[in-house]
Amino acid sequence: MDSSLASPKAAVTITDNKAHPKPGGAEYEGRAMLLEGKKVLVTGASTGIGRAVAIGCAQHGADVAINYRSDDAGAEEAIAGIEAAGRKGVAIKGDVADPAAAGEFVAKSVEALGGVDVFVNNAGICPFHAFLDMPVETVTRTMNVNLLGAYFMVQAAANQMVAQGNGGSIIAMSSISALVGGEFQTHYTPTKAGVLSLMQSTAIALGKHKIRCNALLPGTILTEINKDDLADTEKREYMESRVPLGRLGQPEDMVGPTVFLASNLSEYVTGAAMLVDGGAFVNLQ
Ligand SMILES: NC(=O)C1=CN([C@@H]2O[C@H](COP(=O)(O)OP(=O)(O)OC[C@H]3O[C@@H](n4cnc5c(N)ncnc54)[C@H](OP(=O)(O)O)[C@@H]3O)[C@@H](O)[C@H]2O)C=CC1
Ligand SMILES: C[C@H](O)[C@@H]1OC(=O)[C@H](O)[C@@H]1O
């Protein structure tokens, strides 16, 4: 395959993660503003995929509210990125595992931005651990953050969209791990399958309100969540070798697929699942 097809900048090789262009660079100038005037909410956006998506949506014309749990400095950087794109940004701190945080995030976002058009459920954790001696607290925390947190956040956002009466787009960050297992992720992969299933059922429940619900299934994206796991060079090289496009993902790789599902370009897409994994899932032999 011609490596230039993998990125908006022809000179960038697909094997060089550092050289992968970020939204906002010169190579993005002149593109259509697909989210002009939209109000986007993103959970777990103080770093990683959430932060890249929040800034990327702003660069496509959206005002953005972010949720995060603890990283104040990271949240500030996210807001700075949103504002650098000339859009309004607001950060609202809260633990998605607390069902009360959902209503609070949506209400404060509406207060700041004036409504919700797009909701990205992204917050998640993956504390790697072996199965046989998995601590109960690790299982319950992972389920509470990744799955129940998603449930109540999506419900709160959907109620706001229904009240507004203009439809909307809900996007959940599921994972390739919704489809395949992981030895040290027995508590995590069921949550990602659950989030995918949640989007399928909410697509049905909310279709009558013109609210679309879709799942993104990232492969391995280099973030804090897997920094320690991939510090093992042998494992990292093995994971890279599984990817037909020749590299692991960067958080910015999730921006285009998110913007597409958030925008009117995907107005007849609901209940769908999109792998964003460089081809890793289909790479059997
Ligand atoms: N990276 C990858 O390879 C893949 C990631 N995913 C999914 O993408 C999503 C984002 O992952 P990624 O960017 O890698 O992770 P990071 O660890 O880089 O970032 C996680 C974000 O979620 C926030 N967060 C964590 N727990 C909570 C909580 N209880 N309440 C509110 N916010 C919280 C963190 O905020 P703070 O730091 O402020 O606490 C942080 O902003 C997750 O759902 C993950 O499962 C899916 C497939 C692959
Ligand atoms: C945290 C992992 O590296 C990451 O999370 C996922 O959902 C992917 O499948 C990767 O395993």
Side-chain angles (χ1 to χ4, degrees):
M1 184 195 134
D2 175 357
S3 66
S4 69
L5 296 178
S7 111
K9 189 173 173 186
V12 173
T13 66
I14 58 171
T15 52
D16 185 351
N17 272 319
K18 288 201 186 84
H20 193 62
K22 295 192 187 324
E27 63 276 18
Y28 279 78
E29 273 170 25
R31 75 206 188 296
M33 295 291 258
L34 292 170
L35 304 182
E36 189 78 62
K38 290 200 190 285
K39 299 160 196 349
V40 176
L41 276 56
V42 187
T43 67
S46 59
T47 186
I49 293 171
R51 183 163 79 189
V53 159
I55 295 172
C57 287
Q59 289 170 338
H60 281 270
D63 290 335
V64 184
I66 66 164
N67 148 275
Y68 70 105
R69 189 185 63 86
S70 60
D71 181 0
D72 297 323
E76 272 174 38
E77 275 184 50
I79 297 303
I82 292 163
E83 290 176 348
R87 307 309 312 180
K88 191 166 182 180
V90 59
I92 296 151
K93 200 169 182 171
D95 184 341
V96 300
D98 172 8
E104 221 170 87
F105 178 44
V106 171
K108 287 186 177 166
S109 301
V110 170
E111 203 179 300
L113 306 183
V116 181
D117 301 306
V118 177
F119 186 82
V120 182
N121 191 88
N122 169 76
I125 56 172
C126 181
F128 286 74
H129 203 287
F131 176 56
L132 293 177
D133 62 347
M134 177 75 74
V136 171
E137 312 78 59
T138 306
V139 178
T140 52
R141 178 71 185 160
T142 305
M143 299 271 175
N144 286 341
V145 171
N146 295 8
L147 186 52
L148 294 184
Y151 191 98
F152 292 116
M153 277 286 178
V154 167
Q155 186 188 45
N159 270 307
Q160 176 62 31
M161 288 173 181
V162 170
Q164 290 171 195
N166 299 317
S169 171
I170 295 175
I171 300 157
M173 220 48 83
S174 171
S175 171
I176 188 175
S177 298
L179 310 176
V180 290
E183 180 178 357
F184 299 100
Q185 295 175 304
T186 56
H187 53 321
Y188 171 80
T189 59
T191 68
K192 294 287 121 178
V195 161
L196 169 59
S197 171
L198 177 65
M199 288 300 97
Q200 291 169 339
S201 287
T202 54
I204 304 167
L206 299 173
K208 61 171 92 65
H209 300 289
K210 304 286 175 271
I211 298 170
R212 302 182 293 106
C213 300
N214 293 291
L216 286 172
L217 280 56
T220 301
I221 310 289
L222 295 165
T223 69
E224 288 298 318
I225 209 172
N226 49 30
K227 205 169 162 188
D228 293 344
D229 187 50
L230 296 173
D232 175 349
T233 311
E234 206 177 313
K235 171 143 189 200
R236 182 175 165 143
E237 285 174 0
Y238 167 70
M239 294 304 285
E240 279 167 354
S241 77
R242 304 260 336 245
V243 184
L245 288 183
R247 64 171 177 84
L248 297 180
Q250 293 288 349
E252 289 75 18
D253 287 313
M254 298 310 302
V255 172
T258 304
V259 169
F260 167 68
L261 290 175
S263 78
N264 298 343
L265 281 182
S266 58
E267 66 186 355
Y268 197 56
V269 181
T270 196
M274 188 195 292
L275 276 161
V276 188
D277 66 346
F281 178 72
V282 298
N283 189 16
L284 181 60
Q285 54 188 313

